[in-house]
mmCIF file of all heavy atoms in Angstrom:
data_model
loop_
_atom_site.group_PDB
_atom_site.id
_atom_site.type_symbol
_atom_site.label_atom_id
_atom_site.label_comp_id
_atom_site.label_asym_id
_atom_site.label_seq_id
_atom_site.Cartn_x
_atom_site.Cartn_y
_atom_site.Cartn_z
ATOM 1 N N LYS B 38 182.064 110.823 126.831
ATOM 2 C CA LYS B 38 182.111 109.364 127.010
ATOM 3 C C LYS B 38 180.693 108.789 127.144
ATOM 4 O O LYS B 38 180.410 107.958 128.019
ATOM 5 C CB LYS B 38 182.965 109.001 128.230
ATOM 6 C CG LYS B 38 184.414 109.456 128.078
ATOM 7 C CD LYS B 38 185.264 109.051 129.271
ATOM 8 C CE LYS B 38 186.710 109.493 129.061
ATOM 9 N NZ LYS B 38 187.581 109.136 130.216
ATOM 10 N N ASN B 39 179.854 109.257 126.260
ATOM 11 C CA ASN B 39 178.444 108.872 126.298
ATOM 12 C C ASN B 39 178.110 107.768 125.305
ATOM 13 O O ASN B 39 176.951 107.599 124.927
ATOM 14 C CB ASN B 39 177.551 110.086 126.033
ATOM 15 C CG ASN B 39 177.293 110.892 127.288
ATOM 16 O OD1 ASN B 39 177.648 110.469 128.378
ATOM 17 N ND2 ASN B 39 176.686 112.055 127.139
ATOM 18 N N ILE B 40 179.119 107.023 124.887
ATOM 19 C CA ILE B 40 178.878 105.833 124.093
ATOM 20 C C ILE B 40 179.528 104.639 124.782
ATOM 21 O O ILE B 40 180.692 104.699 125.175
ATOM 22 C CB ILE B 40 179.395 105.974 122.643
ATOM 23 C CG1 ILE B 40 179.222 104.643 121.895
ATOM 24 C CG2 ILE B 40 180.826 106.471 122.594
ATOM 25 C CD1 ILE B 40 179.511 104.723 120.424
ATOM 26 N N LEU B 41 178.735 103.589 124.959
ATOM 27 C CA LEU B 41 179.228 102.347 125.550
ATOM 28 C C LEU B 41 178.997 101.206 124.567
ATOM 29 O O LEU B 41 177.958 101.143 123.906
ATOM 30 C CB LEU B 41 178.512 102.034 126.866
ATOM 31 C CG LEU B 41 178.585 103.072 127.984
ATOM 32 C CD1 LEU B 41 177.783 102.586 129.196
ATOM 33 C CD2 LEU B 41 180.033 103.370 128.382
ATOM 34 N N ILE B 42 179.973 100.333 124.455
ATOM 35 C CA ILE B 42 179.820 99.107 123.674
ATOM 36 C C ILE B 42 179.918 97.941 124.650
ATOM 37 O O ILE B 42 180.920 97.804 125.367
ATOM 38 C CB ILE B 42 180.887 98.977 122.569
ATOM 39 C CG1 ILE B 42 180.793 100.154 121.586
ATOM 40 C CG2 ILE B 42 180.732 97.647 121.833
ATOM 41 C CD1 ILE B 42 179.514 100.207 120.774
ATOM 42 N N ASN B 43 178.878 97.140 124.691
ATOM 43 C CA ASN B 43 178.806 96.034 125.660
ATOM 44 C C ASN B 43 179.014 96.540 127.087
ATOM 45 O O ASN B 43 179.714 95.922 127.897
ATOM 46 C CB ASN B 43 179.817 94.937 125.303
ATOM 47 C CG ASN B 43 179.537 94.330 123.938
ATOM 48 O OD1 ASN B 43 178.381 94.181 123.541
ATOM 49 N ND2 ASN B 43 180.590 94.008 123.207
ATOM 50 N N HIS B 44 178.411 97.734 127.360
ATOM 51 C CA HIS B 44 178.381 98.349 128.695
ATOM 52 C C HIS B 44 179.759 98.845 129.151
ATOM 53 O O HIS B 44 179.955 99.095 130.339
ATOM 54 C CB HIS B 44 177.820 97.373 129.732
ATOM 55 C CG HIS B 44 176.537 96.720 129.302
ATOM 56 N ND1 HIS B 44 175.351 97.412 129.181
ATOM 57 C CD2 HIS B 44 176.275 95.433 128.932
ATOM 58 C CE1 HIS B 44 174.400 96.591 128.774
ATOM 59 N NE2 HIS B 44 174.927 95.387 128.616
ATOM 60 N N GLU B 45 180.687 99.011 128.222
ATOM 61 C CA GLU B 45 182.026 99.496 128.574
ATOM 62 C C GLU B 45 182.404 100.679 127.687
ATOM 63 O O GLU B 45 181.994 100.761 126.521
ATOM 64 C CB GLU B 45 183.069 98.378 128.410
ATOM 65 C CG GLU B 45 182.876 97.208 129.361
ATOM 66 C CD GLU B 45 183.954 96.150 129.176
ATOM 67 O OE1 GLU B 45 184.807 96.323 128.283
ATOM 68 O OE2 GLU B 45 183.942 95.160 129.944
ATOM 69 N N GLU B 46 183.223 101.606 128.262
ATOM 70 C CA GLU B 46 183.737 102.717 127.474
ATOM 71 C C GLU B 46 184.678 102.192 126.397
ATOM 72 O O GLU B 46 185.360 101.184 126.590
ATOM 73 C CB GLU B 46 184.484 103.710 128.373
ATOM 74 C CG GLU B 46 183.577 104.423 129.378
ATOM 75 C CD GLU B 46 184.343 105.421 130.224
ATOM 76 O OE1 GLU B 46 185.532 105.661 129.930
ATOM 77 O OE2 GLU B 46 183.769 105.953 131.189
ATOM 78 N N VAL B 47 184.706 102.877 125.279
ATOM 79 C CA VAL B 47 185.524 102.419 124.158
ATOM 80 C C VAL B 47 186.315 103.583 123.581
ATOM 81 O O VAL B 47 185.934 104.746 123.707
ATOM 82 C CB VAL B 47 184.656 101.801 123.047
ATOM 83 C CG1 VAL B 47 184.080 100.472 123.481
ATOM 84 C CG2 VAL B 47 183.545 102.760 122.617
ATOM 85 N N HIS B 48 187.434 103.234 122.928
ATOM 86 C CA HIS B 48 188.199 104.227 122.188
ATOM 87 C C HIS B 48 187.636 104.329 120.774
ATOM 88 O O HIS B 48 187.056 103.381 120.249
ATOM 89 C CB HIS B 48 189.684 103.839 122.145
ATOM 90 C CG HIS B 48 190.331 103.830 123.500
ATOM 91 N ND1 HIS B 48 190.543 104.983 124.217
ATOM 92 C CD2 HIS B 48 190.810 102.810 124.257
ATOM 93 C CE1 HIS B 48 191.124 104.679 125.381
ATOM 94 N NE2 HIS B 48 191.293 103.359 125.425
ATOM 95 N N TRP B 49 187.842 105.485 120.162
ATOM 96 C CA TRP B 49 187.244 105.780 118.859
ATOM 97 C C TRP B 49 187.695 104.802 117.775
ATOM 98 O O TRP B 49 186.949 104.530 116.834
ATOM 99 C CB TRP B 49 187.605 107.204 118.469
ATOM 100 C CG TRP B 49 186.432 108.035 118.031
ATOM 101 C CD1 TRP B 49 186.360 108.793 116.908
ATOM 102 C CD2 TRP B 49 185.176 108.224 118.698
ATOM 103 N NE1 TRP B 49 185.149 109.440 116.843
ATOM 104 C CE2 TRP B 49 184.398 109.113 117.926
ATOM 105 C CE3 TRP B 49 184.631 107.729 119.883
ATOM 106 C CZ2 TRP B 49 183.112 109.508 118.285
ATOM 107 C CZ3 TRP B 49 183.358 108.119 120.240
ATOM 108 C CH2 TRP B 49 182.612 108.991 119.454
ATOM 109 N N ASN B 50 188.908 104.261 117.910
ATOM 110 C CA ASN B 50 189.438 103.392 116.855
ATOM 111 C C ASN B 50 189.282 101.910 117.165
ATOM 112 O O ASN B 50 189.789 101.064 116.432
ATOM 113 C CB ASN B 50 190.924 103.710 116.603
ATOM 114 C CG ASN B 50 191.094 105.083 115.973
ATOM 115 O OD1 ASN B 50 190.287 105.494 115.125
ATOM 116 N ND2 ASN B 50 192.128 105.808 116.391
ATOM 117 N N GLU B 51 188.578 101.579 118.250
ATOM 118 C CA GLU B 51 188.299 100.169 118.530
ATOM 119 C C GLU B 51 187.305 99.627 117.507
ATOM 120 O O GLU B 51 186.478 100.361 116.954
ATOM 121 C CB GLU B 51 187.731 100.001 119.942
ATOM 122 C CG GLU B 51 188.765 100.176 121.044
ATOM 123 C CD GLU B 51 188.187 99.837 122.401
ATOM 124 O OE1 GLU B 51 187.392 98.882 122.492
ATOM 125 O OE2 GLU B 51 188.523 100.544 123.380
ATOM 126 N N MET B 52 187.371 98.321 117.281
ATOM 127 C CA MET B 52 186.488 97.687 116.314
ATOM 128 C C MET B 52 185.177 97.287 116.980
ATOM 129 O O MET B 52 185.145 96.901 118.155
ATOM 130 C CB MET B 52 187.152 96.450 115.708
ATOM 131 C CG MET B 52 188.527 96.709 115.091
ATOM 132 S SD MET B 52 188.486 97.926 113.747
ATOM 133 C CE MET B 52 187.521 97.038 112.532
ATOM 134 N N VAL B 53 184.091 97.403 116.222
ATOM 135 C CA VAL B 53 182.800 96.880 116.660
ATOM 136 C C VAL B 53 182.453 95.690 115.768
ATOM 137 O O VAL B 53 182.981 95.559 114.664
ATOM 138 C CB VAL B 53 181.685 97.944 116.577
ATOM 139 C CG1 VAL B 53 181.928 99.043 117.589
ATOM 140 C CG2 VAL B 53 181.572 98.520 115.168
ATOM 141 N N LYS B 54 181.550 94.842 116.256
ATOM 142 C CA LYS B 54 181.223 93.623 115.500
ATOM 143 C C LYS B 54 179.747 93.282 115.682
ATOM 144 O O LYS B 54 179.084 93.773 116.614
ATOM 145 C CB LYS B 54 182.101 92.469 115.961
ATOM 146 C CG LYS B 54 181.946 92.090 117.421
ATOM 147 C CD LYS B 54 182.908 90.995 117.820
ATOM 148 C CE LYS B 54 182.693 90.541 119.259
ATOM 149 N NZ LYS B 54 182.829 91.641 120.222
ATOM 150 N N PRO B 55 179.215 92.442 114.811
ATOM 151 C CA PRO B 55 177.814 92.032 114.946
ATOM 152 C C PRO B 55 177.540 91.422 116.320
ATOM 153 O O PRO B 55 178.376 90.687 116.868
ATOM 154 C CB PRO B 55 177.651 90.985 113.840
ATOM 155 C CG PRO B 55 178.668 91.358 112.825
ATOM 156 C CD PRO B 55 179.844 91.879 113.591
ATOM 157 N N GLY B 56 176.421 91.771 116.897
ATOM 158 C CA GLY B 56 176.053 91.270 118.211
ATOM 159 C C GLY B 56 176.451 92.166 119.350
ATOM 160 O O GLY B 56 175.963 91.996 120.481
ATOM 161 N N ASP B 57 177.340 93.140 119.097
ATOM 162 C CA ASP B 57 177.693 94.096 120.141
ATOM 163 C C ASP B 57 176.467 94.932 120.521
ATOM 164 O O ASP B 57 175.644 95.264 119.673
ATOM 165 C CB ASP B 57 178.809 95.044 119.661
ATOM 166 C CG ASP B 57 180.178 94.387 119.689
ATOM 167 O OD1 ASP B 57 180.301 93.302 120.274
ATOM 168 O OD2 ASP B 57 181.121 94.962 119.096
ATOM 169 N N VAL B 58 176.381 95.271 121.792
ATOM 170 C CA VAL B 58 175.286 96.115 122.272
ATOM 171 C C VAL B 58 175.810 97.540 122.405
ATOM 172 O O VAL B 58 176.772 97.796 123.132
ATOM 173 C CB VAL B 58 174.753 95.612 123.628
ATOM 174 C CG1 VAL B 58 173.681 96.571 124.151
ATOM 175 C CG2 VAL B 58 174.188 94.201 123.488
ATOM 176 N N CYS B 59 175.177 98.447 121.680
ATOM 177 C CA CYS B 59 175.588 99.859 121.689
ATOM 178 C C CYS B 59 174.611 100.672 122.528
ATOM 179 O O CYS B 59 173.397 100.544 122.377
ATOM 180 C CB CYS B 59 175.626 100.390 120.255
ATOM 181 S SG CYS B 59 176.063 102.144 120.133
ATOM 182 N N GLN B 60 175.162 101.496 123.415
ATOM 183 C CA GLN B 60 174.335 102.392 124.224
ATOM 184 C C GLN B 60 174.792 103.824 123.999
ATOM 185 O O GLN B 60 175.968 104.153 124.186
ATOM 186 C CB GLN B 60 174.441 102.038 125.702
ATOM 187 C CG GLN B 60 173.628 102.961 126.616
ATOM 188 C CD GLN B 60 173.745 102.561 128.072
ATOM 189 O OE1 GLN B 60 173.418 101.445 128.460
ATOM 190 N NE2 GLN B 60 174.233 103.489 128.897
ATOM 191 N N LEU B 61 173.862 104.680 123.574
ATOM 192 C CA LEU B 61 174.147 106.088 123.346
ATOM 193 C C LEU B 61 173.342 106.925 124.331
ATOM 194 O O LEU B 61 172.149 106.689 124.518
ATOM 195 C CB LEU B 61 173.769 106.482 121.915
ATOM 196 C CG LEU B 61 174.443 105.720 120.776
ATOM 197 C CD1 LEU B 61 173.855 106.163 119.440
ATOM 198 C CD2 LEU B 61 175.948 105.940 120.790
ATOM 199 N N THR B 62 174.015 107.905 124.949
ATOM 200 C CA THR B 62 173.335 108.803 125.891
ATOM 201 C C THR B 62 173.531 110.237 125.422
ATOM 202 O O THR B 62 174.650 110.650 125.101
ATOM 203 C CB THR B 62 173.901 108.640 127.315
ATOM 204 O OG1 THR B 62 173.747 107.278 127.730
ATOM 205 C CG2 THR B 62 173.167 109.549 128.281
ATOM 206 N N PHE B 63 172.444 110.980 125.378
ATOM 207 C CA PHE B 63 172.501 112.375 124.959
ATOM 208 C C PHE B 63 171.983 113.247 126.084
ATOM 209 O O PHE B 63 170.915 112.999 126.644
ATOM 210 C CB PHE B 63 171.652 112.584 123.700
ATOM 211 C CG PHE B 63 172.090 111.736 122.541
ATOM 212 C CD1 PHE B 63 171.427 110.551 122.257
ATOM 213 C CD2 PHE B 63 173.159 112.105 121.752
ATOM 214 C CE1 PHE B 63 171.819 109.752 121.203
ATOM 215 C CE2 PHE B 63 173.568 111.310 120.695
ATOM 216 C CZ PHE B 63 172.897 110.133 120.422
ATOM 217 N N ASP B 64 172.762 114.273 126.435
ATOM 218 C CA ASP B 64 172.348 115.210 127.466
ATOM 219 C C ASP B 64 171.333 116.197 126.887
ATOM 220 O O ASP B 64 171.249 116.378 125.663
ATOM 221 C CB ASP B 64 173.560 115.967 128.015
ATOM 222 C CG ASP B 64 174.562 115.026 128.675
ATOM 223 O OD1 ASP B 64 174.119 113.982 129.183
ATOM 224 O OD2 ASP B 64 175.768 115.336 128.666
ATOM 225 N N GLU B 65 170.592 116.838 127.784
ATOM 226 C CA GLU B 65 169.529 117.744 127.342
ATOM 227 C C GLU B 65 170.063 118.879 126.488
ATOM 228 O O GLU B 65 169.435 119.303 125.521
ATOM 229 C CB GLU B 65 168.803 118.307 128.568
ATOM 230 C CG GLU B 65 167.583 119.143 128.224
ATOM 231 C CD GLU B 65 166.801 119.564 129.448
ATOM 232 O OE1 GLU B 65 167.050 118.998 130.528
ATOM 233 O OE2 GLU B 65 165.951 120.451 129.317
ATOM 234 N N GLU B 66 171.276 119.374 126.823
ATOM 235 C CA GLU B 66 171.835 120.480 126.042
ATOM 236 C C GLU B 66 172.305 120.036 124.660
ATOM 237 O O GLU B 66 172.485 120.865 123.762
ATOM 238 C CB GLU B 66 172.985 121.159 126.793
ATOM 239 C CG GLU B 66 174.163 120.247 127.111
ATOM 240 C CD GLU B 66 174.042 119.616 128.486
ATOM 241 O OE1 GLU B 66 172.899 119.512 128.992
ATOM 242 O OE2 GLU B 66 175.085 119.233 129.041
ATOM 243 N N ASP B 67 172.514 118.721 124.470
ATOM 244 C CA ASP B 67 172.893 118.224 123.138
ATOM 245 C C ASP B 67 171.751 118.417 122.152
ATOM 246 O O ASP B 67 171.958 118.774 120.995
ATOM 247 C CB ASP B 67 173.257 116.738 123.206
ATOM 248 C CG ASP B 67 174.493 116.470 124.055
ATOM 249 O OD1 ASP B 67 175.232 117.434 124.324
ATOM 250 O OD2 ASP B 67 174.709 115.308 124.438
ATOM 251 N N TYR B 68 170.552 118.138 122.604
ATOM 252 C CA TYR B 68 169.358 118.251 121.762
ATOM 253 C C TYR B 68 168.266 118.999 122.525
ATOM 254 O O TYR B 68 167.389 118.385 123.122
ATOM 255 C CB TYR B 68 168.839 116.863 121.383
ATOM 256 C CG TYR B 68 169.690 116.110 120.402
ATOM 257 C CD1 TYR B 68 170.456 115.024 120.815
ATOM 258 C CD2 TYR B 68 169.708 116.454 119.053
ATOM 259 C CE1 TYR B 68 171.225 114.304 119.917
ATOM 260 C CE2 TYR B 68 170.472 115.747 118.151
ATOM 261 C CZ TYR B 68 171.220 114.675 118.583
ATOM 262 O OH TYR B 68 171.988 113.961 117.685
ATOM 263 N N PRO B 69 168.298 120.329 122.523
ATOM 264 C CA PRO B 69 167.257 121.090 123.230
ATOM 265 C C PRO B 69 165.869 120.775 122.663
ATOM 266 O O PRO B 69 165.685 120.680 121.444
ATOM 267 C CB PRO B 69 167.649 122.553 122.946
ATOM 268 C CG PRO B 69 169.101 122.501 122.568
ATOM 269 C CD PRO B 69 169.304 121.190 121.893
#
Side-chain angles (χ1 to χ4, degrees):
K38 298 182 179 179
N39 276 352
I40 175 172
L41 302 179
I42 300 294
N43 298 324
H44 311 291
E45 295 181 358
E46 294 181 8
V47 289
H48 296 292
W49 230 229
N50 292 322
E51 287 187 38
M52 306 300 294
V53 293
K54 61 183 184 302
D57 283 348
V58 176
C59 178
Q60 178 179 302
L61 302 175
T62 302
F63 301 99
D64 298 331
E65 186 174 346
E66 60 267 23
D67 296 344
Y68 289 107

